[in-house]
Amino acid sequence: MYYPKIFKYRLPNFILSIVVIIVFGESLLFASDNEYMKHLNRGRLLFNQGREKEALAEYRKALRFNPEAKEPLINLAIIHKNIYQYAQSMSLYKKLLQIAPDKTIYANLGEVYYLSSRPQEAIGAFNAGVAWGETRAYVYFLLGRCFQETGELEKAAENFEKAVELDDAHAAAYLYLGYVYKQRKMQDKAQGYFEKALIHDPNLTQGYREIAELHFYNGRYEEALQNCRRFNSIYPQDTQAKVFIDKILKVGGDDLKEKLAAKEKKRYLESEAKIVVPKKVKDAPLVRVLIEKNKQLRFKCRGNFTVFAKGESKALFKGTSQALYALVNNQGRISISTEGKKLQELDGQIIIVPEKPEDTILVFEVGVGTGDFWASRVDRAYRGKLDVKAEGNELTIVNIVNIEEYLYGVVPSEMPSSWPQEALRAQAVAARSEVYKKLFRHKQEGYDFCSGVHCQVYGGTLVETEATCSAVDETTGLVAVCDNKPIDAVYSNSCGGHTQNNVFGQREDISYFQGRPDSGGFFGFVFPLSPLELEDWLWGKDINANCNNKYFSRSSNFRWIKLYTAQELQDLISDKKPVGRIISIKILERNKSSHIQELEIIGSKGRLILSKELDIRKTLGGLRSSMFNIDVKIDKYGRPKEFLFYGGGWGHAVGMCQVGAATMAQKGATYREILNFYYASIEIKKMY
């Protein structure tokens, strides 16, 4: 046997034996730790890939090396919960409680009892957690749901109120307080809570329907109609909402119709287009922006205007300052009238041109955000010219304006003007880069961009502010480029704590889209996340991410809850594909940031696989993001009866996180530093 030269004398045999045992034992322990960690890490990766059965096997293998280790046991319990195997999940939580009582384990056990429709046992487990010091608002929210299920409405209200006491932005608790007080026939209190829910999270759209019903049954027909129309704008496919609108108008009768007509007439008479300071920049291209397609166009011009035929210089019609005009499609021709009197019939495509460049055109009742929770109809005013074309039985209305004036209406529509100036400058450069990258995006339809989130939200002149116009002026002509080409500088409101790689098209690798934590340093999470870490991540309210900033954003933009009954969700999904009664929703794959990359909906009549980020969100009723998990409450037959989606962020999370940009600016970052943080390997180039 070889001994190191440091030993001057040969060791006695018994001492040598002890040394060998210690060294050998330590090497076994080291090897054991390595194997344990190897299985934990493989479980993490397999879970992220949607391979739950294989992930379960890896966590079980980890337990061989430490049968009472909490981490693999909790991960096993969470996976079983995610795949609706509630009995196995309960068994694992009970084993953990035998190892060591813990408030969080009691709460987790209560959640699984709740999802299994065993409310009394859930109440017992939740109360045990509270006795051990559990103070999370979500636990009290679920306690409220349990008491609601057992018919103990007073106790339900007490627990929902405790939830909002612990978290005053818990929108779902406000919503369910509304339901409880509605059940208790306390209508004014119910309405107040529904309104609070919508203040904290406008995406809890059920609130609009509930408020509409409360107004209706209290004889407030105008308010009922307003809220029901809002709900119908969000869910235009909802036939019940349309029936309810007809019912309100019928019951409201002539009084309601006359009141609405008088308000509309007053608004038309008193509204005025604004005067602006034109911005003409040499070499700044013109863009064509779709305002909307509608059966008619009602408008006013600040000054006098002239109507030309498309491509011709001869005037077809001359209009008067601040007079109200209406255009309608009359079998391919455009009819113009004022005060109900037809004035003239024009060509099938016309250009409306103000005589002075400082005059704007005010367009009434522009539909915005159809199908999204911010859907509404608003009046908007525009610089430049309007191109109006009769197509089918509608009018296609397009605004022609130069890029810089277009950005005047984009920047305040995409970012609040009260945010730090460096963030607004970053937004201006990102928006201008988008224009250059995607110019002619809708060429086949006859315009360059739409005015909604598909391209960039464009609100015209009425949203312009001094701060946002300054941000555009201070960055005039500046574009973010990579390899000397304008980048696709997409952005979203809140990445939820981690941006994504490219998720568009074929998801090809794009050098400047490199998903990263939205933080200047390590904030306690390693990606991809294990099942336990994903729960902590999605329920985390105190995560040190740039976009977790209540000064710039509602907390529901960072972490949110959305609830549906099984029937509500089935109706939403059937609008895309009639899959029948929903049996399960399976997450097939997540990407590194924990956003869902592919999802499968399994129904009694078929399956639907969704692999596009926006399709996932839209099909499931307009979720704020694709970074979420799902809790499914089942009935006594094991059939889904309620779906609770809990997630983080608002938007696709690719490129710049807008709330994160505001936070960086608040901390002193320049717009160039912000852009270089969110878009890797870029330069800022002057285009004109």
Side-chain angles (χ1 to χ4, degrees):
M1 184 177 287
Y2 171 78
Y3 298 96
K5 292 180 180 180
I6 58 169
F7 290 128
K8 188 175 181 180
Y9 305 104
R10 185 182 177 105
L11 293 172
N13 284 339
F14 78 92
I15 295 177
L16 180 62
S17 298
I18 292 170
V19 171
V20 169
I21 290 168
I22 292 171
V23 172
F24 183 66
E26 286 183 347
S27 67
L28 283 176
L29 286 172
F30 182 71
S32 175
D33 285 346
N34 274 349
E35 285 296 307
Y36 175 76
M37 291 306 300
K38 182 183 79 173
H39 291 304
L40 286 183
N41 287 330
R42 287 182 64 183
R44 170 199 302 270
L45 293 172
L46 290 165
F47 168 74
N48 204 64
Q49 294 166 5
R51 296 155 67 181
E52 289 100 343
K53 290 183 179 178
E54 294 168 81
L56 287 169
E58 290 300 324
Y59 287 121
R60 290 192 191 104
K61 289 175 184 176
L63 284 173
R64 294 176 190 170
F65 298 94
N66 189 347
E68 294 192 344
K70 285 189 174 183
E71 187 173 350
L73 283 168
I74 295 174
N75 280 311
L76 283 166
I78 292 170
I79 294 176
H80 281 299
K81 182 203 75 167
N82 288 347
I83 58 178
Y84 316 162
Q85 294 178 350
Y86 298 139
Q88 294 92 322
S89 184
M90 289 177 209
S91 177
L92 287 159
Y93 283 131
K94 289 174 182 177
K95 181 177 179 178
L96 281 158
L97 288 171
Q98 288 173 353
I99 295 169
D102 179 274
K103 63 181 182 180
T104 304
I105 301 304
Y106 275 119
N108 290 357
L109 176 60
E111 179 187 27
V112 182
Y113 275 131
Y114 166 74
L115 295 176
S116 303
S117 289
R118 295 163 65 176
Q120 295 293 357
E121 289 157 292
I123 290 167
F126 285 134
N127 283 335
V130 170
W132 277 85
E134 178 62 77
T135 58
R136 286 179 295 168
Y138 180 59
V139 171
Y140 286 95
F141 172 72
L142 288 183
L143 262 170
R145 296 287 286 121
C146 290
F147 283 118
Q148 194 177 19
E149 193 171 338
T150 60
E152 298 172 88
L153 297 183
E154 193 169 333
K155 287 184 178 179
E158 287 173 6
N159 281 280
F160 290 139
E161 283 164 358
K162 181 66 175 178
V164 298
E165 180 186 320
L166 292 167
D167 177 5
D168 63 1
H170 200 302
Y174 287 117
L175 181 70
Y176 277 85
L177 274 166
Y179 288 138
V180 167
Y181 283 109
K182 182 182 176 185
Q183 284 178 274
R184 296 173 70 184
K185 310 298 183 184
M186 300 169 71
Q187 295 178 349
D188 289 344
K189 207 162 186 178
Q191 181 178 326
Y193 280 121
F194 287 134
E195 288 170 350
K196 280 188 177 181
L198 290 168
I199 287 168
H200 289 288
D201 188 353
N203 200 24
L204 293 181
T205 48
Q206 302 99 315
Y208 294 112
R209 182 180 58 202
E210 296 295 337
I211 292 170
E213 288 181 5
L214 290 171
H215 279 307
F216 179 76
Y217 291 113
N218 283 291
R220 298 188 290 263
Y221 301 124
E222 186 179 358
E223 293 87 346
L225 186 64
Q226 180 183 1
N227 280 277
C228 198
R229 280 177 170 168
R230 179 76 184 270
F231 183 82
N232 188 229
S233 294
I234 299 165
Y235 300 112
Q237 74 278 21
D238 191 306
T239 54
Q240 290 183 339
K242 293 173 184 175
V243 169
F244 191 29
I245 287 170
D246 291 340
K247 183 178 180 180
I248 295 168
L249 290 169
K250 183 177 180 180
V251 175
D254 292 339
D255 287 346
L256 176 61
K257 291 173 185 175
E258 288 171 8
K259 188 177 181 181
L260 293 172
K263 278 194 170 185
E264 184 179 77
K265 183 177 181 181
K266 183 180 180 184
R267 182 166 58 85
Y268 286 153
L269 289 172
E270 294 180 355
S271 297
E272 293 185 353
K274 64 187 287 189
I275 296 175
V276 296
V277 177
K279 183 176 182 181
K280 303 299 179 185
V281 180
K282 185 180 179 182
D283 299 326
L286 294 176
V287 292
R288 295 172 55 82
V289 189
L290 175 70
I291 303 309
E292 73 167 340
K293 295 186 178 184
N294 205 342
K295 291 186 177 180
Q296 69 171 352
L297 166 63
R298 292 179 184 270
F299 72 98
K300 283 182 173 182
C301 187
R302 178 71 191 193
N304 296 335
F305 65 92
T306 304
V307 175
F308 298 93
K310 173 75 171 179
E312 296 183 13
S313 58
K314 182 181 177 182
L316 299 178
F317 178 84
K318 287 190 175 290
T320 306
S321 172
Q322 300 295 2
L324 176 65
Y325 293 92
L327 302 180
V328 295
N329 182 341
N330 185 16
Q331 297 180 335
R333 301 274 290 171
I334 297 174
S335 174
I336 185 167
S337 61
T338 185
E339 297 181 356
K341 298 177 183 177
K342 183 176 177 180
L343 301 176
Q344 196 170 332
E345 196 158 280
L346 308 171
D347 288 349
Q349 186 169 9
I350 60 172
I351 309 292
I352 303 171
V353 184
E355 291 185 359
K356 298 177 181 178
E358 62 265 30
D359 291 332
T360 60
I361 303 170
L362 176 63
V363 177
F364 292 94
E365 292 284 314
V366 177
V368 299
T370 301
D372 291 304
F373 66 81
W374 59 88
S376 62
R377 298 198 72 83
V378 297
D379 300 340
R380 285 183 166 175
Y382 300 96
R383 296 168 178 262
K385 309 171 185 177
L386 289 187
D387 181 336
V388 184
K389 183 178 182 181
E391 294 185 299
N393 63 350
E394 293 182 317
L395 296 174
T396 299
I397 306 153
V398 173
N399 183 205
I400 304 171
V401 66
N402 73 57
I403 283 181
E404 296 299 310
E405 292 187 311
Y406 168 59
L407 293 176
Y408 280 165
V410 168
V411 174
S413 301
E414 291 284 5
M415 182 176 280
S417 59
S418 59
W419 285 12
Q421 197 66 18
E422 290 299 315
L424 295 174
R425 290 170 182 157
Q427 179 64 63
V429 175
R432 191 180 292 106
S433 305
E434 276 281 88
V435 174
Y436 265 86
K437 179 67 177 179
K438 293 177 176 173
L439 198 59
F440 312 125
R441 187 180 198 183
H442 289 281
K443 184 178 179 180
Q444 296 301 316
E445 294 104 313
Y447 47 92
D448 298 314
F449 304 108
C450 62
S451 55
V453 293
H454 177 256
C455 293
Q456 298 186 90
V457 179
Y458 173 54
T461 67
L462 297 183
V463 299
E464 292 178 12
T465 70
E466 183 179 347
T468 52
C469 288
S470 292
V472 175
D473 292 341
E474 290 156 1
T475 62
T476 297
L478 294 182
V479 169
V481 300
C482 183
D483 296 330
N484 212 33
K485 296 177 183 177
I487 71 166
D488 190 9
V490 294
Y491 47 86
S492 58
N493 177 270
S494 171
C495 68
H498 199 297
T499 62
Q500 295 202 75
N501 291 359
N502 178 43
V503 299
F504 307 115
Q506 300 302 310
R507 296 183 182 141
E508 52 270 74
D509 182 53
I510 296 176
S511 62
Y512 49 83
F513 289 151
Q514 298 299 316
R516 61 177 298 173
D518 186 30
S519 173
F522 180 69
F523 57 359
F525 289 88
V526 177
F527 294 82
L529 300 172
S530 69
L532 171 59
E533 291 164 338
L534 181 65
E535 293 286 295
D536 289 344
W537 175 250
L538 293 179
W539 287 113
K541 296 268 185 168
D542 300 317
I543 295 168
N544 185 28
N546 287 333
C547 54
N548 188 14
N549 188 335
K550 293 180 182 178
Y551 184 79
F552 297 120
S553 180
R554 291 186 185 96
S555 61
S556 61
N557 292 355
F558 183 68
R559 290 293 179 267
W560 48 264
I561 299 173
K562 183 86 171 173
L563 305 99
Y564 298 107
T565 65
Q567 187 61 55
E568 285 173 336
L569 192 59
Q570 180 182 324
D571 291 343
L572 289 169
I573 293 168
S574 293
D575 191 49
K576 301 289 182 181
K577 182 178 179 179
V579 296
R581 179 177 56 82
I582 300 171
I583 297 170
S584 68
I585 300 177
K586 180 176 171 56
I587 295 166
L588 300 178
E589 187 177 2
R590 295 181 185 273
N591 60 28
K592 185 179 178 182
S593 66
S594 291
H595 289 78
I596 293 170
Q597 199 150 292
E598 191 167 58
L599 175 146
E600 182 180 29
I601 300 166
I602 301 169
S604 59
K605 296 181 180 178
R607 297 171 179 243
L608 176 62
I609 292 179
L610 303 170
S611 55
K612 291 184 178 180
E613 188 268 348
L614 191 58
D615 284 349
I616 291 170
R617 292 163 53 197
K618 290 284 191 183
T619 302
L620 297 173
L623 300 181
R624 284 183 179 269
S625 79
S626 62
M627 187 175 75
F628 61 83
N629 209 0
I630 314 166
D631 277 350
V632 181
K633 183 175 172 60
I634 59 173
D635 62 19
K636 63 182 180 180
Y637 303 107
R639 298 175 302 196
K641 59 185 289 188
E642 180 182 277
F643 291 83
L644 187 150
F645 297 82
Y646 53 102
W650 182 12
H652 50 66
V654 180
M656 186 173 72
C657 172
Q658 292 169 301
V659 180
T663 301
M664 288 183 68
Q666 185 185 47
K667 293 176 179 177
T670 67
Y671 76 90
R672 290 176 181 268
E673 289 170 333
I674 293 168
L675 293 168
N676 277 284
F677 179 82
Y678 288 109
Y679 307 105
S681 308
I682 64 160
E683 297 176 356
I684 308 298
K685 181 180 179 182
K686 185 84 169 173
M687 303 298 284
Y688 47 80

PDB file of all heavy atoms in Angstrom, residues 25-37:
ATOM      1  N   GLY A  25     -16.505   5.991   3.984  1.00  0.00           N
ATOM      2  CA  GLY A  25     -17.857   6.422   4.348  1.00  0.00           C
ATOM      3  C   GLY A  25     -18.196   7.776   3.769  1.00  0.00           C
ATOM      4  O   GLY A  25     -19.292   7.993   3.256  1.00  0.00           O
ATOM      5  N   GLU A  26     -17.209   8.701   3.845  1.00  0.00           N
ATOM      6  CA  GLU A  26     -17.450  10.036   3.290  1.00  0.00           C
ATOM      7  C   GLU A  26     -17.647   9.980   1.783  1.00  0.00           C
ATOM      8  O   GLU A  26     -18.474  10.696   1.220  1.00  0.00           O
ATOM      9  CB  GLU A  26     -16.302  10.972   3.652  1.00  0.00           C
ATOM     10  CG  GLU A  26     -16.321  11.412   5.102  1.00  0.00           C
ATOM     11  CD  GLU A  26     -15.206  12.392   5.420  1.00  0.00           C
ATOM     12  OE1 GLU A  26     -14.290  12.539   4.583  1.00  0.00           O
ATOM     13  OE2 GLU A  26     -15.258  13.007   6.501  1.00  0.00           O
ATOM     14  N   SER A  27     -16.886   9.108   1.124  1.00  0.00           N
ATOM     15  CA  SER A  27     -17.036   8.993  -0.333  1.00  0.00           C
ATOM     16  C   SER A  27     -18.397   8.429  -0.698  1.00  0.00           C
ATOM     17  O   SER A  27     -19.016   8.833  -1.676  1.00  0.00           O
ATOM     18  CB  SER A  27     -15.916   8.127  -0.922  1.00  0.00           C
ATOM     19  OG  SER A  27     -16.045   6.787  -0.493  1.00  0.00           O
ATOM     20  N   LEU A  28     -18.897   7.470   0.139  1.00  0.00           N
ATOM     21  CA  LEU A  28     -20.238   6.927  -0.111  1.00  0.00           C
ATOM     22  C   LEU A  28     -21.309   7.997   0.081  1.00  0.00           C
ATOM     23  O   LEU A  28     -22.253   8.111  -0.701  1.00  0.00           O
ATOM     24  CB  LEU A  28     -20.510   5.749   0.832  1.00  0.00           C
ATOM     25  CG  LEU A  28     -19.843   4.418   0.477  1.00  0.00           C
ATOM     26  CD1 LEU A  28     -20.139   3.382   1.556  1.00  0.00           C
ATOM     27  CD2 LEU A  28     -20.333   3.905  -0.870  1.00  0.00           C
ATOM     28  N   LEU A  29     -21.149   8.795   1.164  1.00  0.00           N
ATOM     29  CA  LEU A  29     -22.106   9.876   1.411  1.00  0.00           C
ATOM     30  C   LEU A  29     -22.096  10.889   0.279  1.00  0.00           C
ATOM     31  O   LEU A  29     -23.133  11.367  -0.167  1.00  0.00           O
ATOM     32  CB  LEU A  29     -21.788  10.564   2.739  1.00  0.00           C
ATOM     33  CG  LEU A  29     -22.143   9.785   4.001  1.00  0.00           C
ATOM     34  CD1 LEU A  29     -21.585  10.498   5.231  1.00  0.00           C
ATOM     35  CD2 LEU A  29     -23.658   9.623   4.133  1.00  0.00           C
ATOM     36  N   PHE A  30     -20.877  11.218  -0.213  1.00  0.00           N
ATOM     37  CA  PHE A  30     -20.748  12.163  -1.317  1.00  0.00           C
ATOM     38  C   PHE A  30     -21.425  11.622  -2.568  1.00  0.00           C
ATOM     39  O   PHE A  30     -22.166  12.317  -3.260  1.00  0.00           O
ATOM     40  CB  PHE A  30     -19.272  12.453  -1.578  1.00  0.00           C
ATOM     41  CG  PHE A  30     -19.043  13.456  -2.664  1.00  0.00           C
ATOM     42  CD1 PHE A  30     -19.338  14.795  -2.467  1.00  0.00           C
ATOM     43  CD2 PHE A  30     -18.542  13.059  -3.905  1.00  0.00           C
ATOM     44  CE1 PHE A  30     -19.133  15.730  -3.470  1.00  0.00           C
ATOM     45  CE2 PHE A  30     -18.341  13.982  -4.912  1.00  0.00           C
ATOM     46  CZ  PHE A  30     -18.634  15.321  -4.692  1.00  0.00           C
ATOM     47  N   ALA A  31     -21.181  10.332  -2.823  1.00  0.00           N
ATOM     48  CA  ALA A  31     -21.804   9.696  -3.989  1.00  0.00           C
ATOM     49  C   ALA A  31     -23.314   9.668  -3.832  1.00  0.00           C
ATOM     50  O   ALA A  31     -24.066   9.911  -4.775  1.00  0.00           O
ATOM     51  CB  ALA A  31     -21.261   8.278  -4.161  1.00  0.00           C
ATOM     52  N   SER A  32     -23.775   9.388  -2.579  1.00  0.00           N
ATOM     53  CA  SER A  32     -25.207   9.357  -2.310  1.00  0.00           C
ATOM     54  C   SER A  32     -25.832  10.733  -2.540  1.00  0.00           C
ATOM     55  O   SER A  32     -26.892  10.852  -3.158  1.00  0.00           O
ATOM     56  CB  SER A  32     -25.440   8.907  -0.875  1.00  0.00           C
ATOM     57  OG  SER A  32     -26.803   8.979  -0.542  1.00  0.00           O
ATOM     58  N   ASP A  33     -25.161  11.786  -2.049  1.00  0.00           N
ATOM     59  CA  ASP A  33     -25.663  13.153  -2.260  1.00  0.00           C
ATOM     60  C   ASP A  33     -25.724  13.498  -3.736  1.00  0.00           C
ATOM     61  O   ASP A  33     -26.663  14.131  -4.203  1.00  0.00           O
ATOM     62  CB  ASP A  33     -24.771  14.161  -1.532  1.00  0.00           C
ATOM     63  CG  ASP A  33     -25.006  14.146  -0.026  1.00  0.00           C
ATOM     64  OD1 ASP A  33     -26.021  13.569   0.393  1.00  0.00           O
ATOM     65  OD2 ASP A  33     -24.161  14.698   0.708  1.00  0.00           O
ATOM     66  N   ASN A  34     -24.690  13.067  -4.464  1.00  0.00           N
ATOM     67  CA  ASN A  34     -24.669  13.334  -5.908  1.00  0.00           C
ATOM     68  C   ASN A  34     -25.849  12.675  -6.610  1.00  0.00           C
ATOM     69  O   ASN A  34     -26.493  13.268  -7.476  1.00  0.00           O
ATOM     70  CB  ASN A  34     -23.361  12.829  -6.519  1.00  0.00           C
ATOM     71  CG  ASN A  34     -22.260  13.864  -6.423  1.00  0.00           C
ATOM     72  OD1 ASN A  34     -22.515  15.012  -6.094  1.00  0.00           O
ATOM     73  ND2 ASN A  34     -21.038  13.454  -6.706  1.00  0.00           N
ATOM     74  N   GLU A  35     -26.131  11.417  -6.261  1.00  0.00           N
ATOM     75  CA  GLU A  35     -27.245  10.695  -6.869  1.00  0.00           C
ATOM     76  C   GLU A  35     -28.576  11.345  -6.500  1.00  0.00           C
ATOM     77  O   GLU A  35     -29.468  11.478  -7.335  1.00  0.00           O
ATOM     78  CB  GLU A  35     -27.229   9.231  -6.415  1.00  0.00           C
ATOM     79  CG  GLU A  35     -26.158   8.391  -7.082  1.00  0.00           C
ATOM     80  CD  GLU A  35     -26.390   8.270  -8.582  1.00  0.00           C
ATOM     81  OE1 GLU A  35     -27.504   7.880  -8.993  1.00  0.00           O
ATOM     82  OE2 GLU A  35     -25.470   8.600  -9.349  1.00  0.00           O
ATOM     83  N   TYR A  36     -28.703  11.738  -5.237  1.00  0.00           N
ATOM     84  CA  TYR A  36     -29.924  12.401  -4.757  1.00  0.00           C
ATOM     85  C   TYR A  36     -30.182  13.673  -5.561  1.00  0.00           C
ATOM     86  O   TYR A  36     -31.285  13.881  -6.081  1.00  0.00           O
ATOM     87  CB  TYR A  36     -29.756  12.717  -3.269  1.00  0.00           C
ATOM     88  CG  TYR A  36     -30.886  13.506  -2.650  1.00  0.00           C
ATOM     89  CD1 TYR A  36     -32.099  12.907  -2.342  1.00  0.00           C
ATOM     90  CD2 TYR A  36     -30.721  14.863  -2.351  1.00  0.00           C
ATOM     91  CE1 TYR A  36     -33.136  13.637  -1.755  1.00  0.00           C
ATOM     92  CE2 TYR A  36     -31.747  15.599  -1.768  1.00  0.00           C
ATOM     93  CZ  TYR A  36     -32.950  14.986  -1.481  1.00  0.00           C
ATOM     94  OH  TYR A  36     -33.969  15.712  -0.908  1.00  0.00           O
ATOM     95  N   MET A  37     -29.146  14.508  -5.705  1.00  0.00           N
ATOM     96  CA  MET A  37     -29.306  15.761  -6.436  1.00  0.00           C
ATOM     97  C   MET A  37     -29.536  15.511  -7.924  1.00  0.00           C
ATOM     98  O   MET A  37     -30.290  16.240  -8.570  1.00  0.00           O
ATOM     99  CB  MET A  37     -28.077  16.656  -6.235  1.00  0.00           C
ATOM    100  CG  MET A  37     -27.928  17.198  -4.822  1.00  0.00           C
ATOM    101  SD  MET A  37     -29.418  18.071  -4.243  1.00  0.00           S
ATOM    102  CE  MET A  37     -29.562  19.375  -5.453  1.00  0.00           C
TER     103      MET A  37
END
